[in-house]
Amino acid sequence: EWHSPFAENIYLSMLCPYKKDISELSGLSLVATLAICHALESVIDLDNNDLTVKWPNDILINGRKHAGVLVEIEAESNGFCQVIIGVGVNVNMHKALKRNIDQTWTSLSKVTNKYIDRNILATEIIDSIIDYLERFSLNGFADFKQEWKKRDCLTSSMISVMSSNKKSQGICLGLNNQGHLKIKTKTGDILTFSSGDTSLLK
């Protein structure tokens, strides 16, 4: 379930056509995540609040989930793809029951103590995603690797990764040029993941 109180948050989808093979779109969801971070900081003064990203598609403020990205890719013939980017941002939400949201969360209004104009923010998010995807189309994820590294909350931490119904644990080594996550297990093996869910271990 997706908790969606009336007229409080932003939920939007963008359709982006690409004349590329699916293999060339690796890291696209990460780039969209960075674009949202850029938009947030362009519109809202977050002061000393810590805006970070958690692979593959979560945005956190002070360690609490605040926004997320979902990407669906529809492949067609002749290397043509349709990419649907779904964005969810907690904007003016202040309350939610634990049965509605089963993880720690926050919203922009909670951390700023201000009402946020969703129309202005949505416009900035759309413009930012378009700009970032144009760069991605030309240079791939490698062009954003350092920007991700500056915001990444997982690197050098012990994490667990759930991928293909299998859980792995290890020290996060960051991302490769394709946006795939790397971890080093206790046995010294280096594992690489192209998709999955991550969590920090205490």
Side-chain angles (χ1 to χ4, degrees):
E1 293 183 1
W2 188 291
H3 184 57
S4 174
F6 178 72
E8 292 185 0
N9 300 327
I10 289 175
Y11 314 100
L12 63 85
S13 296
M14 298 175 62
L15 178 65
C16 306
Y18 274 95
K19 292 184 178 179
K20 291 180 178 290
D21 187 82
I22 288 180
S23 61
E24 299 178 82
L25 298 179
S26 179
L28 186 147
S29 66
L30 311 183
V31 172
T33 300
L34 291 174
I36 296 169
C37 290
H38 175 77
L40 294 174
E41 291 182 335
S42 298
V43 173
I44 299 157
D45 184 4
L46 291 173
D47 295 323
N48 296 320
N49 292 292
D50 192 20
L51 182 66
T52 59
V53 292
K54 181 169 75 71
W55 188 92
N57 52 16
D58 287 344
I59 298 173
L60 311 177
I61 297 180
N62 301 328
R64 295 173 176 267
K65 185 169 180 179
H66 157 255
V69 176
L70 288 176
V71 171
E72 293 183 7
I73 301 176
E74 299 177 354
E76 299 184 9
S77 58
N78 302 319
F80 184 81
C81 292
Q82 300 244 63
V83 178
I84 302 170
I85 300 174
V87 176
V89 182
N90 294 337
V91 183
N92 293 311
M93 183 168 67
H94 274 271
K95 295 180 180 180
L97 298 175
K98 193 166 185 179
R99 67 171 181 266
N100 298 131
I101 302 179
D102 62 356
Q103 58 185 300
T104 58
W105 63 274
T106 192
S107 68
L108 292 173
S109 62
K110 285 186 73 172
V111 297
T112 62
N113 292 315
K114 297 177 181 178
Y115 175 81
I116 309 298
D117 188 316
R118 292 182 301 145
N119 289 322
I120 293 174
L121 181 57
T123 300
E124 192 67 29
I125 287 172
I126 292 168
D127 287 345
S128 184
I129 289 176
I130 290 172
D131 289 343
Y132 271 59
L133 292 190
E134 287 178 352
R135 283 175 55 196
F136 174 79
S137 184
L138 293 173
N139 305 311
F141 178 73
D143 197 43
F144 300 89
K145 192 174 178 182
Q146 287 304 312
E147 185 174 349
W148 181 275
K149 188 175 180 179
K150 290 177 181 178
R151 296 192 184 274
D152 181 20
C153 70
L154 297 181
T155 297
S156 300
S157 298
M158 178 66 73
I159 67 170
S160 69
V161 184
M162 180 64 74
S163 181
S164 301
N165 295 319
K166 181 181 178 181
K167 180 179 285 187
S168 303
Q169 295 184 354
I171 298 293
C172 179
L173 302 178
L175 309 184
N176 62 19
N177 285 339
Q178 290 72 47
H180 299 162
L181 182 77
K182 300 182 296 180
I183 68 170
K184 183 176 182 179
T185 67
K186 290 182 178 179
T187 59
D189 295 325
I190 307 296
L191 305 180
T192 303
F193 303 90
S194 60
S195 63
D197 291 316
T198 58
S199 58
L200 283 163
L201 298 176
K202 294 182 179 180

